[in-house]
Amino acid sequence: DIVMTQSPVTLSVSPGERATLSCRASQSVSSNLAWYQQKPGQAPRLLIYGASTRATGIPARFSGSGSGTEFTLTISSLQSEDFALYYCQEYHRWPLTFGGGTKVEIK
Amino acid sequence: QVQLQESGPGLVKPSQTLSLTCTVSGGSISGDGYYWTWIRQHPGKGLEWIGYIYYTGGTYYNPSLKSQVTISVDTSKNQFYLKLTSVTAADTAVYYCARNSDYGETHFDSWGQGTLVTVSS
């Protein structure tokens, strides 16, 4: 299985600041990488797929980059509704695997 | 936009079988290129992909769960199902059903709300 490692585990950021989340794959996943946001009591919401393509309705402040084994999710200016958990997921090989998550909290 | 809704018992005894249903609305489960998927999340933990079924009945399971899992589909009811046998406390989790975003892709833009299943005597 491909192991997805996210860092940091917790990121403390002030509203309006930039947040940078990392996701590393144990082997290359090409650009087959998605990012999700999850709020308490809710299902994950797809933010980014293909490493850098925003899903329908996702604000432009969310951007993804990277390929191979190193990926980044950037939130350019954090809004109150962005404080949440974020997961990466590879879909390069079966079984599909997710990272352990990064919690973005208010500083 | 397709909608998914999980249903089933919230409490299952150890060694018994966990059975869940996912009801799909707003679209046909027989659509080509879509993988009808189960994903679970242990309390306070990350996400684990369980497996998928295609409308033709083809399945693929996470090898780590393969001995326990059966996913089936009833296209006439627009539902698909999860059975997990011989459950233990380690199977306590929120179970989500989901559908991939687009033909042949395996990221997920449609999710059910999730249902918590607790394994306890």
Side-chain angles (χ1 to χ4, degrees), chain A residues 1 34 36 38 42-44 46 49 87 89 91 94-96 98 100, chain B residues 41 45-47 49 52 60 62 96 101 105-109 111-112:
Chain A
D1 298 4
Y36 298 85
Q38 187 179 35
Q42 296 184 17
L46 179 67
Y49 62 91
Y87 293 97
Q89 177 226 330
Y91 51 97
W94 303 101
L96 309 179
F98 294 84
Chain B
Q41 186 169 33
K45 304 291 186 184
L47 298 154
W49 177 79
Y52 75 77
Y60 190 85
N62 192 324
Y96 294 100
S101 309
E105 297 287 356
T106 43
H107 42 80
F108 305 97
D109 68 348
W111 297 68

Side-chain angles (χ1 to χ4, degrees), chain A:
Chain A
D1 298 4
I2 297 176
V3 177
M4 307 300 292
T5 303
Q6 291 186 243
S7 61
V9 172
T10 304
L11 186 60
S12 299
V13 186
S14 300
E17 288 189 341
R18 182 186 195 93
T20 303
L21 290 67
S22 295
C23 176
R24 174 178 291 178
S26 61
Q27 59 184 272
S28 176
V29 299
S30 186
S31 294
N32 298 313
L33 192 284
W35 289 95
Y36 298 85
Q37 177 192 69
Q38 187 179 35
K39 296 181 179 178
Q42 296 184 17
R45 176 174 73 141
L46 179 67
L47 299 176
I48 300 283
Y49 62 91
S52 61
T53 302
R54 278 189 301 277
T56 303
I58 301 303
R61 64 180 181 273
F62 290 91
S63 63
S65 64
S67 66
T69 62
E70 301 282 345
F71 300 89
T72 300
L73 174 70
T74 301
I75 312 171
S76 60
S77 176
L78 273 158
Q79 307 298 301
S80 58
E81 62 267 29
D82 300 335
F83 293 96
L85 271 165
Y86 292 84
Y87 293 97
C88 60
Q89 177 226 330
E90 64 80 19
Y91 51 97
H92 188 64
R93 297 226 185 283
W94 303 101
L96 309 179
T97 54
F98 294 84
T102 291
K103 181 181 180 181
V104 177
E105 64 175 25
I106 300 175
K107 187 174 182 180

Side-chain angles (χ1 to χ4, degrees), chain B residues 29-32 34 36 52-59 73 75:
Chain B
I29 206 167
S30 300
D32 199 21
Y34 290 112
W36 302 97
Y52 75 77
I53 190 163
Y54 202 57
Y55 77 97
T56 55
T59 55
V73 65
T75 55

